[in-house]
Amino acid sequence: MAQAAAELVSQEKQLLEMEDGASPKAANDLEASRAQAAARLERKMAAMEAVLAARRTQKETTQEPTSPQKEAMMDMMRPASSMPTGTGAGCGTGYEILFQGFSWESHKNGLYKFMHSKVEEIAAAGFTSVWLPPPSESVCPQGYLPLDLYKLDCAYGTEKELRDLIVAMHKVGLKAIADIVINHRCANHQGADGKWNKFGGRLAWDASHLTSNNEEFGGTGANKTWGDDYTAAPNVDHTQDRSKEDLSEWICHLVNSVGFDGQYDALRRTSRVERHLSNSWGFGRLETGLRARYSEAW
């Protein structure tokens, strides 16, 4: 674990020291390497937690039976068995055990079909929710450089396979959590200025929807003062009502049409202005180096 942690620290340091003039490809490659290092560390931590859990279980089985008074108190503290699961927007209870249903390499193996075959096993293990990867068409197969948000055929599988997976999850009481990417979006075409700021699909945006921080993309919106500027792709101007309304409608589509129960998004590059977008429930995580600063549901 120490080696995995040291590797992630090294990647974070390189990101912090990267010069502003670095190429988008170099920044994207470094982001990908950092994500892989973070995933390796998470796997190491999960393995350690599993060992500790096994030891706790073994210790508990050797303890003397609890008194009737203690058992009654424990029953009061347990969550109700009738708590809602997989019933749509706003169904979270505050008691959720989230299973990360993908890794950085999952796009290579038909993830949606694979997860479909595992839903009963995941539910039996005690999980209540499954975190699924970004579902939209993307420049990179992992999904974190989205193009047409409404196009849900991606490297993880087809839209039909995604919908079938969510139906299967709901049948066993699992909630489906979408990893959403709304800080930035990649353009399909070059605009009149020769820069990549003309978008295709249902949300046919242009340079006016983008922040003006990065000259490479020619955005004419507000100067971004919230979160971090992501240099590998055009950053969305979240101060504009039209952008927020478009993204809100897309999230409603994911919930009301596709079947997702909530969403997950990193908070490092986003702002509180984005939080109003959710009419369902979700998770947010802010990470600085190796330490998770806070997680919150909104």
Side-chain angles (χ1 to χ4, degrees), residues 2-203:
Q3 182 178 354
E7 182 180 354
L8 181 54
V9 169
S10 176
Q11 295 291 343
E12 289 281 355
K13 185 177 180 181
Q14 291 182 52
L15 277 172
L16 291 173
E17 294 176 349
M18 178 173 285
E19 298 180 358
D20 294 338
S23 68
K25 183 179 185 304
N28 191 38
D29 290 346
L30 195 52
E31 283 279 357
S33 297
R34 190 209 68 81
Q36 293 177 19
R40 282 191 288 271
L41 178 59
E42 288 179 2
R43 288 194 293 269
K44 294 286 187 181
M45 295 174 67
M48 177 174 287
E49 178 60 27
V51 172
L52 293 175
R55 290 178 179 175
R56 286 194 297 268
T57 301
Q58 183 178 8
K59 182 178 179 181
E60 290 170 358
T61 57
T62 61
Q63 291 178 343
E64 296 181 0
T66 59
S67 66
Q69 294 83 359
K70 288 185 178 180
E71 186 63 34
M73 181 64 70
M74 292 174 65
D75 287 337
M76 292 176 62
M77 296 174 65
R78 293 190 183 105
S81 59
S82 60
M83 62 179 161
T85 55
T87 56
C91 63
T93 66
Y95 179 82
E96 306 299 333
I97 304 177
L98 182 66
F99 178 84
Q100 181 172 339
F102 64 102
S103 71
W104 199 250
E105 304 295 326
S106 294
H107 62 89
K108 299 178 180 179
N109 303 308
L111 177 71
Y112 294 157
K113 287 185 176 180
F114 174 77
M115 288 297 296
H116 196 149
S117 69
K118 296 293 183 180
V119 293
E120 292 185 359
E121 183 178 341
I122 294 170
F127 293 96
T128 64
S129 308
V130 178
W131 171 20
L132 295 174
S136 301
E137 175 192 31
S138 171
V139 173
C140 67
Q142 291 82 7
Y144 290 98
L145 293 174
L147 286 161
D148 183 354
L149 294 177
Y150 281 91
K151 186 174 182 179
L152 301 183
D153 292 330
C154 64
Y156 298 106
T158 66
E159 179 175 345
K160 182 181 184 304
E161 290 169 352
L162 172 61
R163 289 176 178 268
D164 289 345
L165 168 59
I166 293 176
V167 169
M169 289 171 60
H170 287 168
K171 286 182 178 179
V172 296
L174 291 171
K175 301 182 186 71
I177 308 302
D179 191 328
I180 62 170
V181 182
I182 55 178
N183 172 73
H184 54 271
R185 183 186 172 198
C186 292
N188 301 78
H189 311 285
Q190 291 173 290
D193 57 1
K195 299 179 179 180
W196 290 91
N197 53 31
K198 186 177 181 180
F199 300 83
R202 182 166 167 179
L203 301 181

Side-chain angles (χ1 to χ4, degrees), residues 84-93 170 175-177 251-257 259-263 277-282 298:
T85 55
T87 56
C91 63
T93 66
H170 287 168
K175 301 182 186 71
I177 308 302
I251 291 177
C252 288
H253 172 74
L254 293 181
V255 173
N256 299 325
S257 177
F260 279 105
D261 301 289
Q263 61 264 1
L277 295 172
S278 171
N279 76 331
S280 60
W281 60 277
W298 63 88

Side-chain angles (χ1 to χ4, degrees), residues 224-238:
K224 186 174 183 179
T225 57
W226 61 93
D228 295 341
D229 182 58
Y230 185 59
T231 59
N235 285 220
V236 178
D237 181 3
H238 284 278

